[in-house]
């Protein structure tokens, strides 16, 4: 059985339907409510997990001074991706992946995105097991920050209408 460690950064950003879907598929979920002071483990091994999912939040990926658990999450991301374990970052989680692995995260030069927008897959995104066929699908966007520069090893998989990175692969498949 696959066990997923989920890191929740904000009370308003739970796993919701992803979790429902994964539970229905027989996966086991362990959620750490980092925003509420639950300690972020140093490794997925600490909770006997095989994969990591990092959720969204209202803070910025490099707001470690105001949200000290973010630094621990970035350490966990480096450990998990360094061992080539499945790691998914959603919204802020995507930005934390970018920051942790050597990219640059900051305010979107096009301004805040809020609403339903179509996603455009790159050729690599069209070949990706998780994203293939999703070009043109409208997805919810609610962010001010984006990954401005991907880490060297990352591959851009999808962009939003303003050209900002919306999905990336940070480690080999």
């Amino acid at each position: 059985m696959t066990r997923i460690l989920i890191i929740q950064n904000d009370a308003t950003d739970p796993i919701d339907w992803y979790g429902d879907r994964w539970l229905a598929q027989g996966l086991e979920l362990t959620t750490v409510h980092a925003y509420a002071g639950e300690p972020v483990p140093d490794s997925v091994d600490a909770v006997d997990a095989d994969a990591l999912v990092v959720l969204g939040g209202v803070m910025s990926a490099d707001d470690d001074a105001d949200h000290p658990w973010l630094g621990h999450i970035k350490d966990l991301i480096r450990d998990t991706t360094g061992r080539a374990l499945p790691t998914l970052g959603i919204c802020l989680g995507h930005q934390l992946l970018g920051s942790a692995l050597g990219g640059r995260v900051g305010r979107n030069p096009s301004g805040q995105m809020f609403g339903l927008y179509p996603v455009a897959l790159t050729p690599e995104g069209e070949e990706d097991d998780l994203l293939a066929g999703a070009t043109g699908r409208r997805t919810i966007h609610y962010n001010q920050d984006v990954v401005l520069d991907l880490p060297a090893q990352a591959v851009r998989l999808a962009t939003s209408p303003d050209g900002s990175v919306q999905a990336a692969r940070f480690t080999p498949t």
Side-chain angles (χ1 to χ4, degrees), residues 19-165:
D20 294 342
R21 181 174 182 191
W22 293 334
L23 288 170
Q25 293 174 343
L27 287 92
E28 184 179 307
L29 310 180
T30 300
T31 301
V32 170
H33 302 91
Y35 68 91
E38 292 181 12
V40 174
D42 294 332
S43 166
V44 295
D45 298 337
V47 294
D48 198 28
D50 311 297
L52 173 65
V53 174
V54 182
L55 300 177
V58 297
M59 64 288 296
S60 294
D62 293 320
D63 282 350
D64 299 35
D66 294 328
H67 308 284
W69 69 87
L70 295 177
H72 298 291
I73 293 171
K74 288 184 250 186
D75 290 341
L76 176 60
I77 287 169
R78 284 187 283 272
D79 177 69
T80 306
T81 59
R83 296 190 294 143
L85 295 173
T87 305
L88 175 65
I90 300 170
C91 196
L92 171 65
H94 163 76
Q95 296 162 13
L96 286 164
L97 273 156
S99 177
L101 299 176
R104 187 170 63 94
V105 176
R107 295 286 185 219
N108 186 342
S110 299
Q112 181 179 18
M113 291 192 69
F114 179 71
L116 288 170
Y117 295 95
V119 169
L121 296 182
T122 64
E124 295 83 359
E126 287 290 358
E127 305 268 326
D128 186 79
D129 291 339
L130 290 175
L131 299 176
T135 288
R137 291 203 180 173
R138 296 167 58 89
T139 60
I140 296 171
H141 294 254
Y142 182 69
N143 59 50
Q144 293 185 62
D145 293 350
V146 293
V147 176
L148 297 167
D149 297 313
L150 285 168
Q153 76 278 16
V155 176
R156 182 185 308 248
L157 299 176
T159 60
S160 62
D162 67 5
S164 62
V165 178

